Amino acid sequence: MAAIKVADLHKSYRTGAGRVPVFEGLSFSVETGHSLALTGPSGSGKSTLLNILCGMETTDRGVITLFGRVAAQRSPGDWAELRRRRIGVVFQDSNLMPALTLEENVRLRADLAGQSFGPVRDWLERLGLKGLERRYPDQVSGGQRQRASLAMVFAMAPDLILADEPTGSLDRNTAHDVADELFLWQRRRGCTLVLATHDLSLADRCDQHLDLAGGN
Ligand SMILES: Nc1ncnc2c1ncn2[C@@H]1O[C@H](COP(=O)(O)OP(=O)(O)OP(=O)(O)O)[C@@H](O)[C@H]1O
Ligand SMILES: [Mg+2]
């Protein structure tokens, strides 16, 4: 079964200078448990598409089906519940709570998703954050915050992960290790993954590849 089905999606932003079209008839689907890489130059719509898929951005036309249900029929409360339990989001600006340590952030996320805590310290260690568990988000680097966000997503055990440049602010070796953890976790759980990236070697590791460059 397809976890995500997008048919004839149209999306434009209205700005003071007029309408900015982003998608003009985009269609694709992702099978449950598969991974999809979104690529394309800056401004091609990768983040917009991820935002649409988690209900944070509106669309102009087209039908999106998520987990077998038409997205437009979902209420804001449904979307909030999906983001709490079923859709894990790793976005460029991390969504850590500033008043909690990295470890507390991960535990809170598991709690909100109704999951038992799991090996939180182990995930943090495998993501290269050993020794930083008790630091607050503003006491670590941007790349370390991003990895803590990934640990939060692992903790919530979602059915779908939406990741916007999850390795974007990491050096080559760390990026490779983090990608290993992400794919290992995703395959083991059978969860669906949509990943926006400029890194073609990362895109190559996904089951499917959608290039937004051509204007869709
Ligand atoms: N809130 C907004 N209002 C108006 N235009 C917007 C808005 N958000 C995005 N856009 C425009 O929509 C297009 C797609 O933007 P988006 O952020 O989805 O691109 P992207 O592929 O994620 O780029 P990057 O690789 O730089 O992250 C761009 O032309 C951008 O300027
Ligand atoms: Mg983007």
Side-chain angles (χ1 to χ4, degrees):
M1 192 184 98
I4 303 171
K5 226 168 148 176
V6 171
D8 197 31
L9 174 66
H10 287 66
K11 167 71 184 171
S12 58
Y13 287 107
R14 272 161 242 293
T15 67
R19 208 172 60 91
V20 182
V22 184
F23 303 122
E24 295 181 299
L26 177 67
S27 299
F28 66 93
S29 63
V30 189
E31 288 300 303
T32 299
H34 281 205
S35 52
L36 169 73
L38 295 176
T39 59
S42 181
S44 58
K46 302 179 295 296
S47 298
T48 300
L49 185 55
L50 293 175
N51 282 322
I52 289 172
L53 292 175
C54 64
M56 301 290 280
E57 188 61 76
T58 58
T59 61
D60 301 332
R61 215 170 89 197
V63 179
I64 297 176
T65 314
L66 207 61
F67 307 132
R69 196 166 150 207
V70 174
Q73 293 171 354
R74 291 187 187 274
S75 66
D78 282 346
W79 279 112
E81 183 65 11
L82 281 184
R83 287 191 297 268
R84 193 156 47 238
R85 291 179 183 269
R86 299 193 67 187
I87 305 179
V89 172
V90 188
F91 281 177
Q92 279 165 305
D93 6 319
S94 82
N95 40 3
L96 300 169
M97 306 276 282
L100 299 180
T101 65
L102 300 190
E103 183 174 348
E104 286 166 349
N105 265 286
V106 177
R107 290 187 186 279
L108 174 68
R109 201 71 202 74
D111 205 20
L112 289 173
Q115 296 291 332
S116 59
F117 290 140
V120 172
R121 284 190 165 239
D122 189 39
W123 287 325
L124 289 170
E125 180 173 348
R126 292 173 69 151
L127 291 166
L129 298 173
K130 190 174 168 57
L132 302 180
E133 300 90 344
R134 291 184 179 190
R135 293 228 198 147
Y136 291 89
D138 67 354
Q139 297 173 327
V140 299
S141 74
Q144 289 164 341
R145 278 194 291 277
Q146 211 178 10
R147 279 178 275 157
S149 301
L150 201 55
M152 284 164 73
V153 165
F154 292 172
M156 74 179 279
D159 295 321
L160 169 64
I161 297 179
L162 302 176
D164 202 348
E165 303 274 4
T167 58
S169 51
L170 304 177
D171 65 88
R172 233 180 138 77
N173 287 341
T174 311
H176 193 267
D177 292 348
V178 167
D180 281 351
E181 289 299 325
L182 175 58
F183 284 113
L184 186 73
W185 193 91
Q186 180 245 338
R187 300 223 160 99
R188 194 183 287 153
R189 304 268 331 176
C191 117
T192 310
L193 169 69
V194 181
L195 180 104
T197 185
H198 288 285
D199 178 351
L200 292 183
S201 68
L202 184 61
D204 278 345
R205 298 179 65 174
C206 293
D207 302 311
Q208 295 170 240
H209 186 168
L210 177 63
D211 189 5
L212 298 174
N216 289 276

